[in-house]
């Protein structure tokens, strides 16, 4: 009886806080943004410092050949250390975004400080040694884990913890790329996958705070600095459609190549041997073709100079693409965000060089095609076009190309969607869930949590009564918002399009409940 009363008390407290904590959550979002921003800024600074050291070592070794064997010995040692970090905390593998998504779905419950420490160390070693990986995925995971730590210190319930983790992920992307709006949109499109005033306001507070922290360290300039780029004439918009089609096809190639690479590396039994391949390859490219090392930030601005010929661009794309597949497929800690943007920029440059041979009117618009290539390739691979459009606009400091960015992103989105190629982070998450499924026995204390959903026009739930819905066991609809007014629902309440429902469930039922809400309430029947 005492246990039942305690559970009922916890349930009432969860519902009470949900209805009253909007402004408190904004304040917590600011705190999370500041702390996550500091962690990500430190990571970003150390990555940049490590890149400078890497190129200094490579330049020294070219003039002192006796250093080359020592550098390869160091790379092998670094691969060994990263493999031990992966064994200590497997959830630091790859970008970290699928891990955060899995935690939001209730599939994982990671130890925040272990992930924080291991991801920092593993990410710095992997990126510092020149693997073709990005800082944004790790930044998002670091931000989310910092937020989880804040939640645990403050003793917050799971529902609030997930909101704070969304704030942390937002802050991570904002601080990594100086892109506060894109950080919010990415969290809503990819991480949280649900819009509500609480999520939006708290994420905005966190993102703006993290961006403020970042700009105090790295300055006010955008991440990519282009000279003034003129608007593409309307007569040349056919090239935007053609480039979008090309980017969509190459996006399918990218996602399927990632899967193939992971399948190949999975056949290697030990982490250490898997990681030796990209680390040794980084050493080889460091002396033979250093342009493919690292995320490739400086490469984008080099492309805009127009000094590379078509054959050089084709070789650059091929080697950068293959090295990116090897680096990520090995499971090394690092993201795909920045490398895929760089590959998109190269594709845009290749299209420009090829088309410019036949269309004189394209002269002077190289920068346009580089920007379009980045946005379109992001849309094709990640399938978050709005985030991609705003991200590229913020990273380049120009919002004057929204029309062409929208067109290329839409076309690049449609192609892989038509070919039934899943978005990259969904693909990675499904693979991760198959390997590391959380079991109920891992839960020392099963909490009650709140899950939100919106009834879409044309969904199966529209017009249904709450009692007719296939809810999992131990679930209860506790709130229904209709036209900004909250009503107390009951079994005979008929759901209408636009209703926002809040469902109380056990932590163990969260994943199945979210799947039912997505399929029954948010998927349009055709």
């Amino acid at each position: 009886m005492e246990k039942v009363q305690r559970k009922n008390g916890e349930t009432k407290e969860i519902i009470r806080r949900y209805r009253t904590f909007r402004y408190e959550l904004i304040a917590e979002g600011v705190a999370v943004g500041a702390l996550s921003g500091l962690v990500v800024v430190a990571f970003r600074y150390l990555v940049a410092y490590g890149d400078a050291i890497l190129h200094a070592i490579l330049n020294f070794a070219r003039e002192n050949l006796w250093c080359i064997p020592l550098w390869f010995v160091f790379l092998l040692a670094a691969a060994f250390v990263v493999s031990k970090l992966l064994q200590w905390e497997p959830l630091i593998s790859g970008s970290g975004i699928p891990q955060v998504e899995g935690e939001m779905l209730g599939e994982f419950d990671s130890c925040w400080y272990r992930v924080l420490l291991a991801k920092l160390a593993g990410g710095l070693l992997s990126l510092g040694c020149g693997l073709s990986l990005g800082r944004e995925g790790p930044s998002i995971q670091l931000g989310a884990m910092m937020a989880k730590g804040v939640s645990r210190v403050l003793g917050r319930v799971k529902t609030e913890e997930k909101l704070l983790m969304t704030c942390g992920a937002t802050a991570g992307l904002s601080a990594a790329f100086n892109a506060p709006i894109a950080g919010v949109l990415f969290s809503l499109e990819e991480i949280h996958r649900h819009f509500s005033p609480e999520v939006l306001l708290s994420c905005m507070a966190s993102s703006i705070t993290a961006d403020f922290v970042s700009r105090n360290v790295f300055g006010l300039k955008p991440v990519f600095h282009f000279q003034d780029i003129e608007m593409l004439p309307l007569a040349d918009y056919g090239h935007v459609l053609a480039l979008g089609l090309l980017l969509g096809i190459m996006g399918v190639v990218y996602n399927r190549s990632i899967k193939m690479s992971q399948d190949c590396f999975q056949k290697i039994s030990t982490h250490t041997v898997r990681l030796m391949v990209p680390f040794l390859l980084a050493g080889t490219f460091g002396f033979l073709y250093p342009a493919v090392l690292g995320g490739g930030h400086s490469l984008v601005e080099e492309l805009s100079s127009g000094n590379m010929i078509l054959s050089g661009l084709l070789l650059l794309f091929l080697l950068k693409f293959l090295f990116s597949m090897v680096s990520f497929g090995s499971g090394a800690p690092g993201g795909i965000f920045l490398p895929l943007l760089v590959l998109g920029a190269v594709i845009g440059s290749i299209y420009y060089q090829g088309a410019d041979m036949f269309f004189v009117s394209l002269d002077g618009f190289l920068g346009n095609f580089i920007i379009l290539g980045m946005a379109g390739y992001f849309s094709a691979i990640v399938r978050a076009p709005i985030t991609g459009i705003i991200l590229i606009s913020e990273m380049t400091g120009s919002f004057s190309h929204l029309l062409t960015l929208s067109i290329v992103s839409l076309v690049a989105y449609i192609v892989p969607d038509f070919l039934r190629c899943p978005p990259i982070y969904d693909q990675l998450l499904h693979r991760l869930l198959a390997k590391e499924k959380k079991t109920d026995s891992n839960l020392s204390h099963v909490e009650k949590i709140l899950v939100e959903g919106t009834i879409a026009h044309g969904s199966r739930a529209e017009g249904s009564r709450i009692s007719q819905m296939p809810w999992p066991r131990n679930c209860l609809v506790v709130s229904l918002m209709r036209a900004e007014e909250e009503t107390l629902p009951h079994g005979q309440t008929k759901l209408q399009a636009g209703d926002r429902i809040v469902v109380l469930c056990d932590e163990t039922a969260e994943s199945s409940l979210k799947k039912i809400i997505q399929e029954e309430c948010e998927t349009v029947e055709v």
Side-chain angles (χ1 to χ4, degrees), residues 13 124 381:
E13 175 62 17
L124 288 172
I381 293 170

Side-chain angles (χ1 to χ4, degrees), residues 470-476 504-506 508-509 512 516:
W471 307 115
R473 294 182 61 187
N474 301 321
C475 291
L476 177 67
L504 180 72
C505 70
D506 285 341
T508 54
S512 57
I516 287 173

Side-chain angles (χ1 to χ4, degrees), residues 212-231:
F212 180 78
V213 172
S214 177
R215 290 182 187 274
N216 271 278
V217 176
F218 298 105
L220 298 174
K221 290 184 179 180
V223 174
F224 294 132
H225 179 64
F226 290 93
Q227 299 295 332
D228 292 335
I229 301 176
E230 296 182 9
M231 298 287 288

Side-chain angles (χ1 to χ4, degrees), residues 11 14-15 448-450 474-476 478 502-506:
T11 299
I14 290 171
I15 297 173
K448 296 286 187 181
I449 61 171
L450 296 172
N474 301 321
C475 291
L476 177 67
V478 296
V502 180
V503 186
L504 180 72
C505 70
D506 285 341

Side-chain angles (χ1 to χ4, degrees), residues 73 181 207 266 311 364 376 401 431 459 490 502:
V73 170
I181 302 175
S207 185
Q266 200 62 40
S311 59
H401 305 279
R431 187 183 189 92
S459 65
H490 51 80
V502 180

